[in-house]
Amino acid sequence: MSISNITASHYLNHRSLNIPVDPDARVLFVCGNNGSGKTGIAQGIRLALTGEPVRGLKYKNQLSELVTQGEKDGLFAVTIQDGGTEHVYRLSLKTGNYSGSSPALPGSWYPLDPESFIAMPTADRRKLLFQLAGIQLKPDLIIKELVDMGHDLDRVTRVAGHLRAGFDAAAADAKTAATEARGAWKAITGETYGSAKAALWKAPVPTSDVGSVQELQAAVDAAERTVSETKEQSALLRSHAAAHMAAESAQAAKGALAENEKSLGELTGQRDELAVEVEAIRKAAQYKGGTTCPCPSCGDILFWNTVGVLKKWDEEKPAMAAPQAAKMLDSVNASLADLDRKITRLKDHVAEGRAAEKLLGNLPPMPEVGATRAADTAAGQAQAALAMAQADLNVARSAAQQAAQADERTAKAAGYHADVDAYTTLADAIIELPVKYLNHAIKQVQGYLDEASKAFGTAVTLGEDMELRYGTIAYGLASDSQQWRLRAAIGYALAIIGGLGVVVLDKFDVLEVKSRGGVLGWLAKQTAVQVVLCGTLKELPTKLPEPPFQLVWLEGGAA
């Protein structure tokens, strides 16, 4: 990614500014006298690409203060070339709104203002460095790494909720879990925890002399079968005796069966004849009259009734006059109903007779005298034996349950002991993770800082405390020129590892004249980033080759 054009309109003292950037230039050197607007260009690039307020402004609604005095609106625009695609970041200073194509920048914007990175709180600098180095501190990824290291997923998941509060909080929770596991071990064993003791501790197991649960269960099963068999025998004998008592009344029903079947047949025949008579009387009572005439084809007499239906007269002529039929209808219906009731009773008697006949035909043998009482006695004895076997089984089961509980206590105690060791180890691993991550991230950054160090003649380092040092001098104690070198080095590193590919460096003029050549030589030779360099000079340099340099002289708000 690189800047291909910079445009400003009514921005600070730049009423109209347009800087096309040579694609072959690795260093865009913007220079001029004091007050010519160089810092405004450096800040404007950051403003247009990020929307971050500059020049002491805190909020985007204050951007209108950057509009040239007397004008209603202004803009600052930066055109970015990304591969074969061009994006325009055009920011209105009045509204703070973008126009043009402006996708999110890759990586981080801090290379556009390295001093802002240095001013960040240490924790934020570390977090940003992790992100740019591709180290993701998302809890799910940290969980995966801890599990890959061999830690149990459930234990890791328990402490994972504290990772958002930091590694120290998660490690503290793991230590708390270890303490809780010690307390749980003590609660279940009743003893004071000790690592060696806990590794060997077993709960006492009670014993029983009644036999094994399996043997006693088999005895109970056999006794239950005996009880079932004796009860079945007793019930069978009782049912045989009851059948013989019922046979006495069944004899009468069987004796009347033939007569009842005969009577049922006779009444059924009478009922059928009466039903025909009733139907004829009903039709006669409903007769409405009609017209008769001979069939022109066959000569049969036809009847045409009052609703237009043509039938043979022999089939439709009434058996008697309608008034006479109406008078007889209730009487014959009553006779028919009486026959139906008699037939129903006879059917019941026939069914009883047939059942009695079947019962007498299948009558079981009569039990011998005393057989039923003997069967009842055997059933009672079997029930008593079952009760004794069940009592022994209950004792054995209780002993087995106590033994299982002892085994369970032993297993739980072993589990709590394992938790103590595992959570303690997990806490140590969590504490070591930030150092591991940080060393990895710093190693990436330090490689690029070393490139800058060669140009400066002094080592630039980033320590585990996230402090930049020029040799042994911390940034806050360094001179202006040393601080500039530190900003240049960290901006260069951040632009590469973050993928932004652009560094903006202001106040080049703080460097002493004799050391400027080495710095410019480094910036010109490197090919990893595009550098926008701003500095106060008395006149436009004449010895810098174009490319890799593109020189821009600002004067009177114009380039």
Side-chain angles (χ1 to χ4, degrees):
M1 187 184 106
S2 61
I3 297 173
S4 60
N5 194 270
I6 300 172
T7 304
S9 175
H10 300 150
Y11 165 70
L12 296 174
N13 61 336
H14 297 291
R15 292 190 175 274
S16 179
L17 178 71
N18 184 53
I19 304 176
V21 181
D22 184 349
D24 294 327
R26 291 192 288 275
V27 182
L28 177 64
F29 195 174
V30 180
C31 48
N33 296 318
N34 279 329
S36 59
K38 303 176 298 300
T39 297
I41 296 297
Q43 293 180 340
I45 293 172
R46 166 186 160 183
L47 176 65
L49 293 181
T50 68
E52 292 286 331
V54 296
R55 295 218 167 193
L57 304 181
K58 292 183 178 180
Y59 308 104
K60 290 186 71 173
N61 60 11
Q62 296 176 316
L63 294 182
S64 58
E65 296 181 24
L66 300 176
V67 177
T68 303
Q69 189 172 6
E71 301 295 340
K72 295 182 179 180
D73 193 5
L75 68 82
F76 200 101
V78 176
T79 302
I80 294 294
Q81 195 73 28
D82 189 5
T85 306
E86 189 175 81
H87 301 292
V88 179
Y89 295 75
R90 186 183 297 112
L91 182 66
S92 167
L93 301 179
K94 180 180 180 180
T95 64
N97 295 329
Y98 279 107
S99 61
S101 57
S102 51
L105 294 172
S108 142
W109 61 267
Y110 285 99
L112 305 178
D113 184 8
E115 191 168 8
S116 294
F117 171 79
I118 297 172
M120 291 172 68
T122 299
D124 292 344
R125 267 182 285 159
R126 184 183 295 114
K127 183 177 180 180
L128 177 64
L129 196 60
F130 285 160
Q131 293 173 352
L132 296 183
I135 299 170
Q136 300 188 37
L137 299 182
K138 295 180 179 179
D140 56 337
L141 296 178
I142 296 175
I143 289 172
K144 182 179 183 305
E145 179 163 353
L146 289 169
V147 171
D148 290 344
M149 292 166 62
H151 296 281
D152 177 71
L153 176 60
D154 290 339
R155 295 188 181 101
V156 174
T157 302
R158 170 200 157 137
V159 303
H162 295 268
L163 283 170
R164 297 191 184 282
F167 289 99
D168 290 343
D173 187 60
K175 291 179 180 178
T176 298
T179 300
E180 291 173 354
R182 289 190 189 92
W185 189 92
K186 181 178 180 180
I188 202 168
T189 64
E191 301 180 25
T192 302
Y193 180 84
S195 182
K197 180 199 299 183
L200 301 174
W201 186 88
K202 292 181 182 292
V205 180
T207 58
S208 170
D209 58 359
V210 295
S212 70
V213 171
Q214 292 78 6
E215 293 172 345
L216 292 171
Q217 181 64 63
V220 166
D221 293 342
E224 286 179 340
R225 287 193 295 271
T226 301
V227 167
S228 177
E229 291 168 357
T230 55
K231 284 184 176 181
E232 287 178 1
Q233 180 64 21
S234 177
L236 180 63
L237 292 174
R238 289 179 183 280
S239 69
H240 287 183
H244 280 272
M245 291 180 65
E248 296 176 2
S249 60
Q251 289 290 350
K254 179 183 177 183
L257 176 60
E259 183 64 28
N260 287 335
E261 287 179 333
K262 178 182 178 182
S263 299
L264 178 61
E266 292 173 352
L267 287 180
T268 301
Q270 294 174 17
R271 197 263 181 208
D272 292 342
E273 293 174 358
L274 182 58
V276 173
E277 182 181 351
V278 168
E279 178 60 20
I281 294 172
R282 183 188 62 77
K283 290 179 65 176
Q286 295 175 348
Y287 180 69
K288 303 295 183 181
T291 304
T292 58
C293 62
C295 175
S297 175
C298 65
D300 288 344
I301 301 301
L302 301 179
F303 175 70
W304 186 270
N305 67 18
T306 57
V307 295
V309 178
L310 185 65
K311 295 185 177 180
K312 289 183 179 182
W313 173 243
D314 288 342
E315 297 174 356
E316 292 297 314
K317 64 183 178 181
M320 62 184 68
Q324 181 185 0
K327 289 180 180 179
M328 294 180 63
L329 187 59
D330 288 343
S331 175
V332 295
N333 276 332
S335 297
L336 184 62
D338 184 56
L339 278 175
D340 284 340
R341 286 192 292 273
K342 291 178 178 179
I343 289 172
T344 299
R345 285 197 298 273
L346 279 173
K347 284 182 177 179
D348 291 341
H349 292 327
V350 169
E352 290 173 1
R354 289 174 180 171
E357 187 178 50
K358 182 177 180 180
L359 172 65
L360 294 171
N362 297 316
L363 193 65
M366 181 67 179
E368 296 180 2
V369 177
T372 301
R373 181 180 298 176
D376 290 343
T377 301
Q381 292 173 344
Q383 190 67 50
L386 172 61
M388 294 179 63
Q390 187 65 59
D392 288 344
L393 176 60
N394 291 340
V395 171
R397 280 178 173 169
S398 177
Q401 183 178 14
Q402 292 177 32
Q405 290 173 347
D407 291 342
E408 184 179 356
R409 287 180 63 206
T410 300
K412 284 185 176 180
Y416 289 132
H417 171 57
D419 281 343
V420 173
D421 288 345
Y423 278 118
T424 301
T425 304
L426 179 59
D428 294 339
I430 293 173
I431 291 173
E432 293 171 0
L433 278 181
V435 177
K436 173 184 174 182
Y437 292 152
L438 186 61
N439 288 339
H440 179 69
I442 289 176
K443 184 177 180 180
Q444 292 189 48
V445 173
Q446 191 60 52
Y448 299 114
L449 298 182
D450 290 344
E451 293 182 28
S453 299
K454 294 177 182 177
F456 302 156
T458 300
V460 175
T461 56
L462 179 65
E464 291 183 3
D465 58 357
M466 294 305 295
E467 183 68 60
L468 275 171
R469 288 178 172 79
Y470 190 77
T472 59
I473 304 173
Y475 181 86
L477 301 177
S479 66
D480 289 345
S481 64
Q482 290 170 339
Q483 287 184 350
W484 190 95
R485 291 176 173 86
L486 291 172
R487 292 195 298 272
I490 194 62
Y492 173 72
L494 294 177
I496 296 174
I497 66 172
L500 183 63
V502 176
V503 182
V504 177
L505 300 173
D506 192 18
K507 301 179 182 178
F508 173 73
D509 47 277
V510 301
L511 292 179
E512 59 274 20
V513 175
K514 64 180 181 179
S515 65
R516 293 178 183 176
V519 173
L520 291 173
W522 163 57
L523 296 178
K525 289 179 182 179
Q526 63 79 31
T527 59
V529 299
Q530 181 189 50
V531 181
V532 178
L533 188 64
C534 300
T536 299
L537 298 179
K538 295 180 180 179
E539 58 184 15
L540 188 68
T542 58
K543 296 183 179 181
L544 296 179
E546 298 187 28
F549 288 95
Q550 178 180 344
L551 301 175
V552 176
W553 182 263
L554 294 183
E555 189 168 347

